[in-house]
Amino acid sequence: MNRLVSCIPAIALLSLAASPTANAKRMAPPPTAPASTSVTPEILDAVGTELERAMSNMRIPGAPAPYFIGYKLTEVDVHDVVASLGSITDDQNRDSTSLEAHVHVGSYARDNTNFVPSQRESLDGTFTAQLALEASPARARRSAWLATDNAYKEAIAMWQSKNEALASGVSAGNNQIASYTKATPVVTEAPVKVPQLESNQALGNRAKKLSAAFRKYDFVRDSHVGFTSFLENRWYLNSEGTNATDTRRVEGILIVATAQANDGQEITLYYSHYARSRRGLPSDAEIEAQIEAMSKQLFAMRSAPLVSNYTGPVLFEGQGAVGIVRHSLAPHLSGTPPPLGISSTDALIAGKLAGRKGLRVVSDLLSVVDDPTTSFVGNRFVIGGYKFDDEGVAPQRVQVIKDGKLEELLMSRTPNSDQGASNGHARLQMPGGVYRGSATNLAVTGKKGQSPKLLRKKLLAEAKEQGLPYAIIIKQFDDASATSNTEISRLAKVQLLQSMNPLSPPPATLAYKLYWDGREELVRGVQLEPVDMRAWRDVMGVGKRNTLKNFLATTESPFLKLIAGAGPGRVPSAGIESSITTPNLLFRELDLKASKYGLRPPPLLPAP
């Protein structure tokens, strides 16, 4: 191992303790955020009045009437600051208030949803209107009227197209399943108290101080430290009687640094962390240690060799274990069926476990629970909790998998042939005007947990059994939402999009060869091939200790994110609040290949 990295215990920087310090725990609670001034009780009453009027009177002759209308009002206040080398590069206050109308026509048994009309893919029976930041009841009611009118017209167009498609026989069995399920109304009018937002000045002072630490590393081509402080107030009203409010509050930090390897390949490391308030973030001293360790790791990666193509056992440690769960297991825990008429590419978002209830779907060492009803795992805060999902349904704790066997999938109000009612996991919106059952606070647990030393011993024994001179350990995956603010040309990104398999996990940013004598060798360019659900049946070992990661699950394709870039390097604040807790995971056999993405000529001039 490179001497510069020997002082870093396998990039312990990625597992810095982020829980509040003992002194912070003894401090008085922070001031709470003030009540909303843009969505007041008077505004909600006006929107509710318009909902009643639309249900009673909104009609088009010869077309079905609405049987369900739902309104989601969202108020967002985001403070963002980014600094590089001690100077502010981005400083923004972003706030907005929107009203989203959902209209269903027909009946619960068959309505317009879960269908994508051919050549009219944008139709989904929803419409979003922006509300004035200082709205009046009259303005809010007018916005609700216009949004509902547009959504109703879309719903009718979808209804007609869907009936034509079903009549032609192109149903994939969907005509035997109800379109939507009823749900018990949720009424929670009491506001949720959360810590007030950090000011841009306070965020900027920290970002400037901490980002200056990269100045002493001339091999770091680009670096930035970003902070975000954001609050999202939500209100949901529907024609079934739901009238609920919730507040989501998150504080975040993102550190990104890039360098260039000796062969010209760009290499990037990042660190991100989310908490409910500043007290849940690492201290300045911890972040400075993180920056130092990250820089030393980048230095070592400059001379690290490209990995060779490989088929064999792979051990995922720490954030690497979180990544493999996030990218190859969590997406398949949804029970929402793919919409009729969806493209073959978009159909990849559908889970692969529908219809397998009671069967073994992963190793019998593993169990999986998703629990959006909690805000803590142990003493660590998780950001995936909520009082109601995006369809206004109260969440439930779901035992998804127990001892390897599928118990229950994560459901929205769109049923499948095995499961009907929602369990309150509608988070990600799909084409066709429906929400997909999605993971939130996902926890993987394992039986017969082993220490890191014993798990590595088992890894090497399997590699030897397969006739391999070494095994692979992956400790972190890339996250395009965090790292795609690079200098690579647009053409290179297009080539990446054309050459990479969209079913593959993101590239590994930290990976090692582990030799029989226990020696670790840092390698670059590690790209896993698609990890099929069958591979999860062959998980042959789990660790004793868990790693927890809070993140925002973006609705955007990571490949398209690479094409567009991440803008000024802000901490991602657009996505679904999520967390994953998992032990280290040892897979018996996976395929990986070497990726030369990011190769380019070195700079013509040395760093100033």
Side-chain angles (χ1 to χ4, degrees):
M1 181 184 292
N2 189 295
R3 294 178 62 187
L4 273 172
V5 196
S6 61
C7 61
I8 310 171
I11 199 164
L13 57 146
L14 292 176
S15 55
L16 281 177
S19 58
T21 64
N23 288 335
K25 291 179 180 178
R26 291 196 293 266
M27 295 172 62
T32 57
S36 172
T37 57
S38 61
V39 182
T40 63
E42 293 76 17
I43 298 293
L44 292 171
D45 287 344
V47 172
T49 299
E50 186 57 31
L51 177 97
E52 294 175 357
R53 186 172 78 105
M55 283 297 295
S56 299
N57 301 323
M58 182 165 282
R59 301 288 188 273
I60 291 179
Y67 79 89
F68 174 90
I69 296 177
Y71 291 144
K72 182 172 67 177
L73 290 85
T74 307
E75 178 190 37
V76 177
D77 190 1
V78 186
H79 297 181
D80 281 315
V81 176
V82 183
S84 180
L85 304 178
S87 298
I88 298 295
T89 57
D90 183 66
D91 187 341
Q92 294 285 330
N93 274 357
R94 296 177 287 136
D95 51 8
S96 64
T97 306
S98 62
L99 182 150
E100 183 178 304
H102 293 250
V103 176
H104 296 215
V105 300
S107 67
Y108 288 100
R110 180 186 292 183
D111 68 15
N112 55 287
T113 64
N114 209 31
F115 171 70
V116 179
S118 176
Q119 299 182 346
R120 302 183 71 185
E121 290 81 4
S122 62
L123 293 181
D124 58 9
T126 70
F127 191 86
T128 301
Q130 295 300 313
L131 297 182
L133 294 179
E134 297 181 0
S136 66
R139 287 178 176 175
R141 186 169 178 180
R142 182 177 181 84
S143 295
W145 165 57
L146 293 174
T148 312
D149 183 74
N150 279 281
Y152 178 48
K153 292 171 181 174
E154 283 197 8
I156 291 173
M158 292 176 65
W159 167 260
Q160 294 171 339
S161 296
K162 183 176 182 178
N163 283 333
E164 291 172 0
L166 291 174
S168 70
V170 184
S171 66
N174 283 11
N175 58 336
Q176 303 301 320
I177 304 172
S179 295
Y180 212 53
T181 56
K182 294 182 179 180
T184 303
V186 179
V187 179
T188 57
E189 298 182 354
V192 178
K193 295 183 178 180
V194 296
Q196 71 180 18
L197 295 179
E198 296 289 320
S199 68
N200 279 58
Q201 181 176 357
L203 298 177
N205 289 340
R206 285 194 85 189
K208 286 193 295 184
K209 173 191 173 185
L210 295 168
S211 66
F214 280 108
R215 287 179 176 173
K216 57 184 176 182
Y217 304 108
D218 59 0
F219 59 87
V220 176
R221 290 178 58 91
D222 185 31
S223 64
H224 58 264
V225 176
F227 285 92
T228 192
S229 185
F230 73 85
L231 178 148
E232 182 180 287
N233 289 314
R234 287 191 173 193
W235 298 263
Y236 195 93
L237 301 87
N238 69 26
S239 54
E240 295 173 330
T242 287
N243 185 349
T245 181
D246 194 7
T247 299
R248 302 174 187 181
R249 167 75 171 85
V250 173
E251 201 85 9
I253 179 175
L254 173 66
I255 305 170
V256 179
T258 66
Q260 194 169 14
N262 295 339
D263 63 358
Q265 185 177 43
E266 184 184 66
I267 46 180
T268 301
L269 287 177
Y270 73 97
Y271 170 82
S272 65
H273 185 87
Y274 292 93
R276 192 178 186 185
S277 70
R278 174 174 175 171
R279 295 180 186 180
L281 295 181
S283 67
D284 284 1
E286 289 173 315
I287 296 173
E288 287 169 349
Q290 171 79 31
I291 290 173
E292 180 180 4
M294 180 182 289
S295 300
K296 290 180 178 180
Q297 190 74 52
L298 272 175
F299 185 85
M301 291 176 70
R302 296 172 69 206
S303 56
L306 280 171
V307 73
S308 303
N309 292 345
Y310 173 89
T311 296
V314 179
L315 175 61
F316 298 91
E317 293 186 341
Q319 301 297 334
V322 170
I324 197 64
V325 171
R326 176 182 176 182
H327 298 293
S328 71
L329 176 62
H332 300 301
L333 304 182
S334 173
T336 308
L340 177 65
I342 197 171
S343 70
S344 57
T345 301
D346 289 337
L348 298 175
I349 64 176
K352 293 184 177 181
L353 299 182
R356 303 182 68 185
K357 193 172 181 178
L359 300 179
R360 188 170 77 88
V361 293
V362 300
S363 166
D364 58 11
L365 297 174
L366 301 177
S367 296
V368 180
V369 169
D370 194 82
D371 188 4
T373 68
T374 185
S375 295
F376 290 90
V377 171
N379 64 350
R380 291 285 306 277
F381 176 74
V382 290
I383 66 174
Y386 50 89
K387 293 174 66 176
F388 58 89
D389 67 10
D390 285 81
E391 293 179 318
V393 179
Q396 300 174 25
R397 179 186 184 275
V398 176
Q399 179 81 56
V400 184
I401 296 171
K402 185 175 182 180
D403 299 334
K405 292 184 179 180
L406 181 64
E407 298 278 317
E408 181 179 357
L409 291 171
L410 306 177
M411 296 298 296
S412 65
R413 294 181 64 172
T414 302
N416 62 34
S417 57
D418 290 332
Q419 291 179 237
S422 170
N423 48 33
H425 283 76
R427 300 296 306 281
L428 292 172
Q429 191 166 15
M430 297 197 304
V434 297
Y435 282 91
R436 180 175 183 240
S438 308
T440 52
N441 287 332
L442 191 70
V444 178
T445 57
K447 296 185 298 184
K448 303 178 182 178
Q450 297 177 298
S451 68
K453 183 178 180 180
L454 288 178
L455 207 53
R456 288 185 172 205
K457 185 177 180 180
K458 192 169 188 176
L459 168 70
L460 287 175
E462 180 63 27
K464 190 172 184 178
E465 177 70 20
Q466 296 186 29
L468 300 169
Y470 59 83
I472 293 292
I473 300 175
I474 292 178
K475 300 184 181 182
Q476 189 191 51
F477 287 93
D478 188 29
D479 185 343
S481 296
T483 65
S484 59
N485 184 34
T486 66
E487 301 171 4
I488 298 178
S489 70
R490 186 179 181 87
L491 176 59
K493 293 177 182 178
V494 172
Q495 292 172 340
L496 171 69
L497 184 63
Q498 294 173 339
S499 63
M500 291 186 67
N501 189 331
L503 296 179
S504 296
T509 52
L510 276 176
Y512 296 81
K513 289 181 179 179
L514 180 65
Y515 292 92
W516 292 354
D517 59 4
R519 176 172 54 95
E520 286 186 14
E521 180 184 22
L522 185 66
V523 289
R524 292 183 289 113
V526 175
Q527 175 62 66
L528 281 174
E529 298 285 11
V531 179
D532 190 82
M533 277 302 303
R534 289 181 178 274
W536 281 91
R537 295 168 59 91
D538 292 329
V539 170
M540 56 184 296
V542 298
K544 281 186 176 180
R545 300 183 62 183
N546 291 329
T547 300
L548 184 153
K549 179 72 173 179
N550 288 316
F551 60 95
L552 296 185
T554 179
T555 57
E556 300 178 84
S557 161
F559 302 102
L560 295 180
K561 194 70 177 175
L562 282 172
I563 297 296
R570 296 172 185 155
V571 183
S573 59
I576 307 302
E577 299 91 344
S578 308
S579 78
I580 288 176
T581 306
T582 182
N584 294 344
L585 298 167
L586 172 58
F587 285 71
R588 187 179 304 277
E589 185 174 276
L590 294 175
D591 298 321
L592 63 86
K593 64 179 181 179
S595 171
K596 297 182 179 181
Y597 169 67
L599 289 173
R600 63 161 181 259
L604 296 177
L605 295 175

